[in-house]
């Protein structure tokens, strides 16, 4: 469920430009988050001291479980033409490449997985359809659901039209993906409807779980939950992630996700300062890292256990 390169003809200059912008923007984004945390450290530290840290642990555990879902999406897309593929094999590929998720650039886990699948005889056009679905499907679901939620909370102004457009585009894109896999010449793959529906359900379950993690994390800070409606907070998370995702100049939406979510939350909770909210939301990235680390540790421990049992 990470960023990957979509395939367009004659885009060497564009790719080079994006790489340069990413290299420039990433340290700026990290510096911005660091300054935000430093400038609001007094207030933020008090919020963390008063937080119910017990809620952090189920959130970390829940995020670690999300890593079981992406291989199911891959299986639903690749299984019809390649019945020999198994969930166990795809799960191994996913977890084996999990550390690459945190390499600067934000695409290397996907690049590694695609390379592994190519070695197993998966054709280029089918891999291209998988990359397309894995990138566009989460975007359509988060914008469609997040935009629809926030539409009911934003009565007027810029965010009203933003959420309305996001909801509309998300829903349209959701129905357009199977058509795109057939019409794009370099892909030209027909995805069976039931397999595409399975991918939609699994991806929706992933984002339901991810959103629950975010709500568990934010519920640790009583002031936030008392001020912002929990359903609205879910919509803010989804739409902010989507905006961060499409920001090609920043790997994994670093800085963009935090800034957008903070701005939206500040409009719903004016008692909180902008930099305070950014610092709190930046903490969620740490929770995600811990959740992925827990997944990788458990997977590695299980492999060692199975290896020892065979001896």
């Amino acid at each position: 469920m990470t960023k990957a390169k979509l395939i367009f003809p004659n885009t060497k200059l564009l790719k080079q430009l994006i790489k340069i912008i990413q290299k420039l923007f990433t340290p700026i984004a990290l510096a911005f988050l660091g300054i935000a945390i430093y400038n609001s450290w007094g207030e933020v530290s008090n919020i963390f001291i008063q937080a119910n840290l017990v809620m952090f642990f189920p959130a970390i555990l829940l995020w670690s479980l999300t890593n079981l879902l992406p291989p199911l999406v891959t299986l639903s897309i690749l299984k019809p033409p390649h019945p020999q593929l198994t969930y166990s094999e795809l799960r191994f590929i996913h977890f084996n490449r999990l550390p690459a998720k945190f390499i600067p650039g934000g695409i290397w886990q996907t690049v590694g997985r695609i390379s592994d699948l190519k070695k197993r005889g998966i054709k280029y056009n089918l891999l291209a359809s998988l990359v397309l679905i894995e990138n566009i499907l989460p975007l359509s679901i988060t914008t469609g659901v997040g935009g629809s939620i926030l539409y009911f909370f934003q009565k007027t102004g810029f965010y009203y039209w933003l959420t309305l457009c996001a909801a509309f585009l998300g829903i349209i894109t959701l129905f357009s993906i199977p058509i795109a896999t057939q019409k794009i010449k370099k892909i030209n793959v027909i995805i069976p409807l039931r397999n595409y529906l399975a991918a939609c359900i699994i991806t929706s379950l992933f984002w339901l779980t991810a959103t629950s993690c975010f709500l568990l994390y934010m519920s640790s800070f009583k002031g936030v939950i008392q001020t912002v409606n929990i359903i609205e907070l879910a919509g803010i998370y989804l739409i902010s992630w989507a905006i961060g995702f499409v920001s090609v100049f920043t790997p994994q939406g670093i800085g963009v996700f935090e800034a957008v979510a903070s701005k939206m939350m500040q409009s719903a909770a004016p008692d909180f300062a902008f930099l305070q909210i950014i610092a709190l939301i930046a903490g969620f990235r740490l929770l995600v890292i811990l959740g992925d680390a827990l997944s990788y540790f458990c997977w590695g421990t299980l492999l060692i256990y199975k290896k020892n049992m065979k001896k």
Side-chain angles (χ1 to χ4, degrees):
M1 307 264 175
T2 55
K3 281 185 181 178
K5 294 178 182 178
L6 296 179
I7 303 165
F8 296 101
N10 303 321
T11 57
K12 288 185 178 180
L13 181 61
L14 178 61
K15 289 178 181 178
Q16 290 176 354
L17 181 61
I18 290 174
K19 285 182 180 179
I20 293 171
I21 294 173
Q22 284 182 339
K23 287 180 180 179
L24 292 173
F25 189 85
T26 300
I28 293 173
L30 291 174
F32 169 71
L33 292 177
I35 292 170
I37 293 171
Y38 177 79
N39 288 339
S40 58
W41 180 248
E43 297 85 353
V44 172
S45 60
N46 288 331
I47 294 173
F48 271 96
I49 290 171
Q50 297 172 11
N52 182 12
L53 299 181
V54 175
M55 300 300 291
F56 286 16
F57 298 105
I60 293 171
L61 177 61
L62 197 58
W63 186 272
S64 70
L65 295 176
T66 61
N67 284 296
L68 297 173
L69 296 174
L72 286 173
V73 176
T74 306
L75 186 65
S76 66
I77 302 302
L78 300 183
K79 187 71 172 177
H82 294 276
Q84 77 279 8
L85 285 175
T86 63
Y87 173 71
S88 178
E89 185 179 10
L90 296 175
R91 184 184 59 200
F92 177 87
I93 292 173
H94 175 82
F95 277 94
N96 191 46
R97 295 293 184 174
L98 193 57
K101 180 179 178 180
F102 302 102
I103 296 176
I107 64 168
W108 299 112
Q109 184 190 19
T110 298
V111 171
R113 286 175 51 246
I114 296 302
S115 175
D116 292 338
L117 290 169
K118 189 176 181 181
K119 291 176 183 177
R120 285 163 171 78
I122 312 298
K123 292 183 178 179
Y124 167 85
N125 64 328
L126 190 56
L127 291 175
S129 71
L130 177 65
V131 171
L132 178 71
I133 291 170
E134 286 187 341
N135 283 272
I136 305 301
L137 185 56
L139 186 62
S140 65
I141 289 174
T142 52
T143 52
V145 176
S148 298
I149 289 172
L150 293 180
Y151 171 73
F152 291 100
F153 288 93
Q154 305 292 333
K155 304 302 180 183
T156 57
F158 172 74
Y159 290 126
Y160 172 83
W161 295 107
L162 173 66
T163 55
L164 181 61
C165 290
F168 178 76
L169 289 173
I171 294 169
I172 293 297
T173 305
L174 190 64
F175 289 100
S176 302
I177 293 173
I179 300 173
T181 60
Q182 295 181 48
K183 298 299 182 182
I184 297 176
K185 290 183 179 180
K186 287 191 174 183
I187 299 179
N188 192 26
V189 172
I190 298 175
I191 306 296
L193 180 59
R194 66 177 182 179
N195 292 79
Y196 179 66
L197 288 176
C200 290
I201 292 170
I202 296 163
T203 304
S204 298
L205 181 58
F206 176 93
W207 284 106
L208 176 63
T209 309
T211 304
S212 299
C213 292
F214 182 74
L215 295 178
L216 278 172
Y217 170 77
M218 296 305 291
S219 67
S220 302
F221 313 108
K222 294 180 179 179
V224 175
I225 293 299
Q226 289 172 353
T227 310
V228 185
N229 183 288
I230 193 169
I231 304 298
E232 184 178 7
L233 193 58
I236 289 172
Y237 170 71
L238 291 171
I239 207 73
S240 299
W241 179 88
I243 294 172
F245 182 82
V246 298
S247 303
V248 294
F249 53 86
T250 167
Q252 298 186 12
I254 295 175
V256 176
F257 163 71
E258 287 82 1
V260 173
S262 300
K263 190 64 179 176
M264 286 187 167
M265 282 182 62
Q266 191 184 31
S267 66
D271 292 339
F272 282 85
F274 178 68
L275 293 181
Q276 284 182 332
I277 302 175
I278 279 189
L280 291 179
I281 295 177
F284 183 68
R285 281 197 183 271
L286 176 60
L287 184 145
V288 170
I289 293 172
L290 292 174
D292 284 334
L294 178 60
S295 282
Y296 189 72
F297 173 79
C298 292
W299 173 75
T301 303
L302 182 62
L303 285 184
I304 294 171
Y305 174 76
K306 286 183 176 180
K307 187 177 180 180
N308 292 334
M309 287 294 289
K310 291 180 181 179
K311 291 182 179 179

